Amino acid sequence: MKKSWDGEQDPLAALAAGDPELFEAFVRTEMVTLLGFFRRLGGSQDEIEDLVQDTIVKLFRSANMYSSSDRFEAYVFRAARNVWIDSRRRAGVRGAVAPKADDDGADFMPNVEGGEPEPFEQIEAMERSEILMRAVQRLDDAHRIVFELGVIQGLSYSEVSDIAGVPVGTIKSRVHNAVRKLRDMLDLEGLS
Amino acid sequence: MNSKGSPLDPESLTELALHDDAGSLRNVCDESDLSELAELKAFVSACREAAAAGTADSALADQMLSVAQSEDLSWRGDLRLLGGFVRDGLRSSALLRLAAASLLLHIAAVPVLAFFVFTGEPALPEFRVELGDRELPYALPDSSHSDDRSEVEVVEQEALNTLLVENTLRWSRWQVSITEHLREEVSLGAPVWLLERAGILWGSARDEGLAPLEISNHTSAAFIRAESALDEFLTLGPAAREKSKLALRDVLQFVGSPEAPATWLALSSIARAESYGVVHPEAAEVLKLARSSMPAGHRYRALLEVDGDLRRRMPIDPLWVAALAELDPTSTPGTWLKSFEEITELGAR
């Protein structure tokens, strides 16, 4: 995530206390994180936006039941992962939605606003992002979610284990395998 | 220890690259591990940097916030959410759809079951139906080995008769049980009609050219007791068996008496008792003798016959019909007999 939301900055704890400002700030700041998260897991732009919307609604509805003893970041990704699993289940009935590695990502192009990097640097960053996305999408589901949570989002192995519902030892092994495979793939693409 | 001799396995090295708090592992790294670690860290950093590309679309964020904040947080919203969840589940699983349909079917059946439970309709008695020859529960030995015949079990006729009587009694009790609710509306008055029947029988016997019979109270009472006891046996079952047998002993004394109608009455009561399986050997012997000596076409033959279970025409036997005809001059025995036969034939179907 772009910043830490734990402790006094916890958006759901604030929302439960009647203060929606932190939650609004969280959505504005981290929406792009969630879009990237779902984008790497696979789906069209419309589907990704729906998934982010569902995650935000889920978080908003759960504010009253939220325990601030949880780490907020892990809580958000648990909700996001559940939304993704539900969508995969629904897609399984209609016909599995395969990750769209060839999506040009035009809708995900960054806005050019004041204070942002120069356009050339942005394009370069977007290219790197696309390369990473294509490589991640070539992993299987189990390795993709573990790589996303453990490597990209930097959650601890125990948090990833809680979210994915598999033992820490398995997470450790999956992260290692995912990193190894991606290094091989990205070496060819020149990202690493 | 890994294959290169380093104490750190590759998984731990990856963990070290990802999390600074795994720093304690760093102490056991050798030179090659540190080099690999640096490469891994560079890779992770590049991945994170690439993943962080992009900035927020404020219009999209506002739209998402607006949708989230318009969520109904009351129980209605929860219900809608639950409905959506159930809908999704049903749409995604054929097995779940099948289970839901089965559940609905069972729920729909509950009022029907409740109706049968609360209306108190008694359950049908259990019958054993055996048609034709019984299938032997063993293989017959080859006929060429005649010496083995002694091992074949013989199915006794008595067992078949017992089965017949048991089924008849179950059926009769069930019929009595389902008409229990009629008790309050209809007075059966069994002793009364039996008494009348005995009196009228005397008149019928006179028509047959027999000597008039003065049936004493003592004689009437014996028949009434016997018939009542058999009625009780029909409704109460084995509890009334001894009473029926005792009553029949009294009746037996009238068999062979010069008072012919009393003989017929006694034999008909014994035949009825035999059909229930409560007749004692002495009475059975008398009945057997009466049957063997009576000509096949005799008018009162029906009184002594047992047709399946209850006598087919009891208590609506020719004697009884003739007596009714005597009471009602407008009717004739023939018309009574015909109408009752129609009734019994319908019942038999």
Side-chain angles (χ1 to χ4, degrees):
Chain A
M1 291 212 174
K2 293 195 179 295
K3 59 176 277 196
S4 170
W5 299 94
D6 289 320
E8 290 181 357
Q9 295 298 307
D10 192 323
L12 285 185
L15 189 62
D19 176 14
E21 278 183 20
L22 268 175
F23 186 77
E24 289 171 10
F26 160 76
V27 171
R28 289 179 210 287
T29 311
E30 303 296 356
M31 189 188 71
V32 71
T33 306
L34 290 171
L35 283 169
F37 172 81
F38 286 122
R39 186 171 181 77
R40 281 183 293 278
L41 292 183
S44 68
Q45 184 62 26
D46 286 344
E47 285 167 343
I48 290 165
E49 285 179 13
D50 285 346
L51 292 174
V52 174
Q53 177 72 81
D54 287 350
T55 307
I56 290 171
V57 167
K58 205 165 193 172
L59 291 172
F60 184 78
R61 291 192 67 92
S62 68
N64 288 333
M65 292 173 288
Y66 175 70
S67 159
S68 55
S69 60
D70 293 344
R71 206 163 79 87
F72 178 72
E73 207 169 322
Y75 187 82
V76 170
F77 283 112
R78 184 179 295 123
R81 187 251 182 192
N82 289 341
V83 166
W84 181 64
I85 294 285
D86 287 347
S87 81
R88 296 283 291 186
R89 246 179 233 142
R90 284 197 297 270
V93 180
R94 295 192 297 265
V97 177
K100 295 186 177 176
D102 56 346
D103 194 330
D104 62 6
D107 294 336
F108 193 55
M109 289 297 280
N111 291 344
V112 181
E113 293 172 1
E116 294 297 318
E118 292 298 315
F120 179 74
E121 290 170 353
Q122 285 190 3
I123 290 168
E124 209 174 25
M126 284 311 303
E127 279 176 358
R128 282 199 298 271
S129 171
E130 284 295 315
I131 291 169
L132 175 68
M133 183 192 76
R134 285 197 204 98
V136 172
Q137 288 180 351
R138 284 167 66 186
L139 296 174
D140 61 57
D141 279 358
H143 285 88
R144 208 182 312 151
I145 189 78
V146 161
F147 178 82
E148 180 64 35
L149 295 172
V151 179
I152 304 293
Q153 306 303 337
L155 300 187
S156 70
Y157 280 5
S158 63
E159 285 172 333
V160 180
S161 162
D162 278 350
I163 293 171
V166 288
V168 171
T170 308
I171 298 295
K172 198 171 173 179
S173 162
R174 284 183 185 171
V175 167
H176 170 72
N177 288 330
V179 167
R180 187 173 49 77
K181 283 179 189 171
L182 279 169
R183 278 182 77 188
D184 291 345
M185 286 188 259
L186 294 176
D187 267 344
L188 297 174
E189 303 272 359
L191 183 74
S192 62
Chain B
M1 203 174 276
N2 66 18
S3 58
K4 293 177 186 172
S6 165
L8 270 184
D9 56 28
E11 284 90 355
S12 300
L13 212 56
T14 307
E15 186 180 5
L16 193 57
L18 288 173
H19 305 295
D20 290 339
D21 55 357
S24 57
L25 291 172
R26 186 186 292 273
N27 300 333
V28 291
C29 287
D30 62 14
E31 201 167 322
S32 66
D33 285 340
L34 287 175
S35 161
E36 173 72 6
L37 185 62
E39 283 181 25
L40 275 171
K41 282 198 162 197
F43 172 75
V44 169
S45 171
C47 285
R48 286 178 179 166
E49 197 177 313
T55 53
D57 180 339
S58 57
L60 186 61
D62 286 343
Q63 183 193 329
M64 287 185 176
L65 266 174
S66 154
V67 171
Q69 287 168 345
S70 64
E71 272 289 301
D72 183 357
L73 296 180
S74 69
W75 63 269
R76 288 186 203 85
D78 292 341
L79 205 63
R80 240 192 320 273
L81 207 63
L82 184 67
F85 176 75
V86 171
R87 252 195 319 277
D88 284 348
L90 288 176
R91 207 173 289 143
S92 64
S93 165
L95 204 64
L96 201 60
R97 284 198 293 277
L98 191 70
S102 167
L103 182 66
L104 277 178
L105 200 68
H106 281 80
I107 290 172
V110 166
V112 180
L113 285 175
F115 172 77
F116 280 110
V117 168
F118 290 114
T119 50
E121 187 72 18
L124 273 173
E126 181 192 346
F127 287 102
R128 288 166 59 193
V129 178
E130 299 184 17
L131 298 173
D133 294 337
R134 282 183 166 186
E135 188 181 343
L136 294 175
Y138 46 79
L140 277 175
D142 190 343
S143 57
S144 60
H145 299 91
S146 53
D147 292 346
D148 296 340
R149 278 176 184 275
S150 57
E151 294 177 8
V152 175
E153 184 188 346
V154 178
V155 180
E156 291 185 7
Q157 185 63 33
E158 192 181 336
L160 286 173
N161 290 339
T162 306
L163 176 66
L164 195 62
V165 170
E166 281 174 1
N167 281 347
T168 301
L169 290 176
R170 283 195 192 107
W171 178 248
S172 301
R173 285 187 198 116
W174 181 73
Q175 283 183 314
V176 169
S177 70
I178 62 170
T179 54
E180 272 179 341
H181 64 285
L182 295 175
R183 275 184 181 171
E184 292 178 3
E185 300 165 20
V186 180
S187 169
L188 294 178
V192 177
W193 68 257
L194 280 173
L195 182 60
E196 284 178 353
R197 181 172 177 234
I200 293 165
L201 192 58
W202 173 77
S204 175
R206 188 178 52 192
D207 281 353
E208 293 296 310
L210 300 173
L213 173 67
E214 291 292 336
I215 292 182
S216 65
N217 285 342
H218 169 70
T219 310
S220 301
F223 291 127
I224 290 166
R225 271 201 303 276
E227 296 287 339
S228 297
L230 289 174
D231 285 346
E232 276 186 42
F233 180 74
L234 188 62
T235 52
L236 300 179
R241 181 186 293 272
E242 284 310 309
K243 188 177 177 184
S244 302
K245 282 188 174 178
L246 283 174
L248 281 170
R249 277 188 194 285
D250 291 343
V251 163
L252 192 59
Q253 61 182 301
F254 296 104
V255 176
S257 76
E259 305 162 346
T263 299
W264 291 122
L265 280 177
L267 287 172
S268 76
S269 293
I270 291 167
R272 186 183 174 198
E274 187 200 42
S275 74
Y276 296 168
V278 292
V279 72
H280 48 78
E282 192 185 349
E285 197 60 38
V286 168
L287 189 62
K288 190 177 172 186
L289 190 64
R291 281 174 180 158
S292 64
S293 60
M294 179 180 273
H298 194 280
R299 177 181 174 178
Y300 295 152
R301 177 92 199 178
L303 289 174
L304 308 184
E305 292 301 334
V306 176
D307 183 12
D309 42 20
L310 300 173
R311 275 174 303 166
R312 189 157 54 90
R313 290 177 180 172
M314 280 301 288
I316 309 166
D317 52 63
L319 217 55
W320 178 244
V321 172
L324 286 175
E326 185 166 318
L327 266 187
D328 181 3
T330 61
S331 66
T332 64
T335 56
W336 277 105
L337 186 57
K338 194 178 170 192
S339 66
F340 281 124
E341 276 178 336
E342 282 172 1
I343 293 168
T344 50
E345 278 166 14
L346 281 174
R349 282 177 210 155

